[in-house]
Amino acid sequence: MDKKRIVNLLVGPLLLILSLFLLPESIFAETAARAAVGTVAWMAYWWITAPVDFAVTAFLPIAVNAIIKMAEMSAVISNYASETILLLLGASILTVSWEKTGLDKRIAARFLSLIGSNLRLQLVFWFLLSAALSALLPNAVVCATITPIAVSMLRYVGEDDIANSKKGSMILLTVAYAAGVGGLATPLGGAMNLVTVDYIQKLTGEEYMYISWVARFLPIMAVLVVSNILFLVLKVKRTDTIGISREYFKEQYKMLPKMTREEILSLLLFAAATVMAFTRQFYEKALPGLKPAYVFIICAIISFLITCRDGSRLMVWKSVQTKIVWELIYIFAGGLAAGTLINNSGAAQAIGEAVSKTNLDGGFLTVLVIVTLTVLLSDITSNTATAAVSIPIVISIINGIGKNPIPYIYIASIGVNLSYMLPTSIRAIPVGYGLNPRFMLKQGLPLTVIVIVLMSVLGYALLKFWPAFSTI
């Protein structure tokens, strides 16, 4: 074992110990809260330095919680079999059938023939596609369905070692970033926005019209989309490509044989699961239990029923299980579990209360603190949990200084939706496909600073100069 790995192994638990003894009790009065912060610091350090496999780090919430109780163990463990985990498992099984039938190569060739191989164009395409879908759908669904399509394309052009491929890593980061940004566009973009809407309705006693959200966040979305895309495309060279020319891929696509029955069935199953996940609002009342996660599991089960023309089974668990991206599933679960520790231990509440005791007056500093706090909280816990914790605190702070809380709730919603640095929430998905968390942190840190500055300035400007931003 090399010395560097030994040091990294020891630093992880040392961060927990330091948190227990050095974090101020005036803020984190409970041992559980200090332990939760230390556990998240330990996980983040191990994910970035990788002294053990990423999936191993994902089980730390269970191990530490068994020794220092921060939350009910059942609440922690439930994250490892949550609906989102089942969705990721179902999607992973379905994409195994792509590889077995050759559908992945057909899809990749088609995308490359349409978009071309210029890396900047690729980044713009994947960002706009993911952001548009996330405006109407949960970001986890979008990221879980779009990422494997992008991975198939990358494998087709030989960029299958994502951990050592900057081009592949940038594309997967783009999908994750865009899924978060797009979620801010409408209340349907995720549960975190519905939490915010619920607080607004309770505060005003009036029904909140979703079109009002779209109108208020339109200038914010414009700045976010442009700034994120510019950040991404400027990270790569104008001449960077992920293959040869578009014409070459058009020829390759034309040369492919006719789709087999197995390919068609594999495509139909994934398409059916995706469409049903994207159109749940149309059948939600008739089938309230048929959530996107269960649709993907049902379609995954059906995939094992497909029989090839020669009589053999297309999908056999013994071989399929070796191709499922288990690391993705456990990393995502670990991120959820870390969020549970932060929230259930009272750590998030303690941070919020500490902020509420500062002498904020509703001016630019108030906006900056709200944006910074919500963005950083979203990085270590789920967006929905951040909304549940931060929105009532923001309302309390603003009511306390005698101002209208509505625009500040909107400003808090910006940070609730955005996070870039750690492999928690949907950012665990690209990490599961090979993206290095250190690369994520390296790219995400400057973008986080840029977004906090831009959104603080824009949020304050809207608050100051656009009267409609202070209404519902």
Side-chain angles (χ1 to χ4, degrees):
M1 187 183 296
D2 62 86
K3 292 182 180 179
K4 184 178 180 181
R5 182 174 176 237
I6 292 174
V7 170
N8 289 333
L9 283 171
L10 293 175
V11 168
L14 180 61
L15 290 172
L16 170 61
I17 295 170
L18 292 175
S19 298
L20 284 169
F21 291 101
L22 297 182
L23 285 177
E25 292 188 19
S26 58
I27 298 176
F28 302 98
E30 300 295 328
T31 300
R34 298 195 297 277
V37 173
T39 303
V40 171
W42 181 353
M43 294 175 71
Y45 186 82
W46 272 13
W47 269 332
I48 293 165
T49 58
V52 297
D53 296 320
F54 301 141
V56 174
T57 300
F59 287 105
L60 281 176
I62 296 175
V64 180
N65 194 57
I67 299 170
I68 307 172
K69 186 175 180 181
M70 296 165 276
E72 289 297 326
M73 188 61 86
S74 58
V76 177
I77 292 175
S78 65
N79 291 289
Y80 296 82
S82 66
E83 286 183 3
T84 307
I85 296 301
L86 293 176
L87 186 151
L88 294 173
L89 176 60
S92 187
I93 291 172
L94 288 174
T95 53
V96 170
S97 69
W98 295 7
E99 184 179 343
K100 294 181 76 68
T101 61
L103 178 63
D104 57 343
K105 293 182 175 61
R106 189 179 299 276
I107 291 174
R110 185 58 175 164
F111 267 92
L112 287 162
S113 69
L114 292 173
I115 312 165
S117 58
N118 181 272
L119 185 54
R120 286 187 169 182
L121 287 178
Q122 284 279 338
L123 294 177
V124 172
F125 168 79
W126 291 109
F127 191 97
L128 294 177
L129 174 65
S130 302
L133 291 174
S134 288
L136 301 173
L137 305 160
N139 52 24
V141 174
V142 173
C143 201
T145 53
I146 299 300
T147 301
I149 297 174
V151 169
S152 294
M153 181 196 68
L154 290 168
R155 286 174 178 165
Y156 181 74
V157 296
E159 299 284 349
D160 49 355
D161 185 7
I162 303 296
N164 295 306
S165 167
K166 181 181 178 181
K167 298 174 183 178
S169 295
M170 289 300 296
I171 288 176
L172 295 197
L173 266 187
T174 297
V175 174
Y177 288 174
V181 170
L184 182 62
T186 75
L188 299 176
M192 59 280 181
N193 295 340
L194 298 179
V195 168
T196 303
V197 168
D198 185 57
Y199 275 111
I200 292 175
Q201 291 181 155
K202 289 177 180 176
L203 185 69
T204 62
E206 300 177 29
E207 181 182 359
Y208 188 85
M209 296 295 128
Y210 285 8
I211 189 63
S212 296
W213 180 291
V214 176
R216 303 301 184 276
F217 282 95
L218 193 59
I220 294 169
M221 284 300 301
V223 173
L224 278 174
V225 169
V226 171
S227 61
N228 276 248
I229 288 178
L230 280 176
F231 177 85
L232 289 163
V233 299
L234 291 176
K235 284 286 181 177
V236 300
K237 297 177 182 177
R238 185 180 300 176
T239 54
D240 281 349
T241 65
I242 58 169
I244 313 176
S245 65
R246 180 184 301 181
E247 288 68 30
Y248 170 81
F249 291 115
K250 284 182 180 179
E251 290 299 318
Q252 289 292 304
Y253 184 74
K254 290 177 182 177
M255 291 170 58
L256 288 172
K258 185 179 179 182
M259 285 185 75
T260 64
R261 183 175 65 92
E262 292 79 13
E263 276 186 271
I264 294 171
L265 290 173
S266 296
L267 178 60
L268 287 176
L269 280 175
F270 190 87
T274 303
V275 170
M276 289 190 72
F278 288 1
T279 57
R280 173 159 167 71
Q281 64 268 32
F282 298 116
Y283 64 86
E284 183 177 5
K285 291 183 179 178
L287 297 168
L290 194 58
K291 297 180 180 180
Y294 309 137
V295 171
F296 272 88
I297 286 295
I298 290 170
C299 289
I301 292 171
I302 294 173
S303 70
F304 284 92
L305 308 181
I306 298 175
T307 303
C308 301
R309 291 193 179 276
D310 61 5
S312 63
R313 290 156 57 192
L314 175 65
M315 303 277 278
V316 179
W317 181 256
K318 189 173 183 179
S319 61
V320 170
Q321 67 175 340
T322 64
K323 297 180 180 296
I324 294 173
V325 192
W326 294 108
E327 189 170 45
L328 152 66
I329 293 168
Y330 293 130
I331 293 171
F332 194 100
L336 295 177
T340 296
L341 295 184
I342 288 291
N343 286 286
N344 291 18
S345 68
Q349 191 71 27
I351 295 170
E353 289 175 358
V355 172
S356 69
K357 293 175 183 176
T358 57
N359 296 319
L360 298 175
D361 60 3
F364 177 75
L365 181 60
T366 304
V367 173
L368 177 63
V369 169
I370 290 173
V371 172
T372 303
L373 176 65
T374 49
V375 167
L376 295 182
L377 269 179
S378 292
D379 242 314
I380 60 175
T381 184
S382 73
N383 305 89
T384 305
T386 300
V389 169
S390 62
I391 299 300
I393 292 173
V394 168
I395 293 172
S396 175
I397 292 172
I398 304 305
N399 280 337
I401 57 179
K403 291 187 177 290
N404 175 14
I406 296 299
Y408 297 93
I409 293 174
Y410 288 144
I411 289 166
S413 298
I414 300 172
V416 163
N417 278 268
L418 304 177
S419 42
Y420 299 95
M421 295 186 291
L422 297 177
T424 52
S425 191
I426 61 170
R427 293 169 305 286
I429 294 174
V431 171
Y433 281 97
L435 177 66
N436 193 316
R438 184 180 295 179
F439 182 86
M440 176 180 287
L441 179 65
K442 182 180 178 181
Q443 305 303 320
L445 184 57
L447 184 54
T448 296
V449 174
I450 291 168
V451 165
I452 287 175
V453 172
L454 282 177
M455 291 299 101
S456 297
V457 172
L458 179 59
Y460 181 69
L462 294 173
L463 169 68
K464 198 79 173 173
F465 303 110
W466 189 27
F469 194 67
S470 298
T471 67
I472 64 168

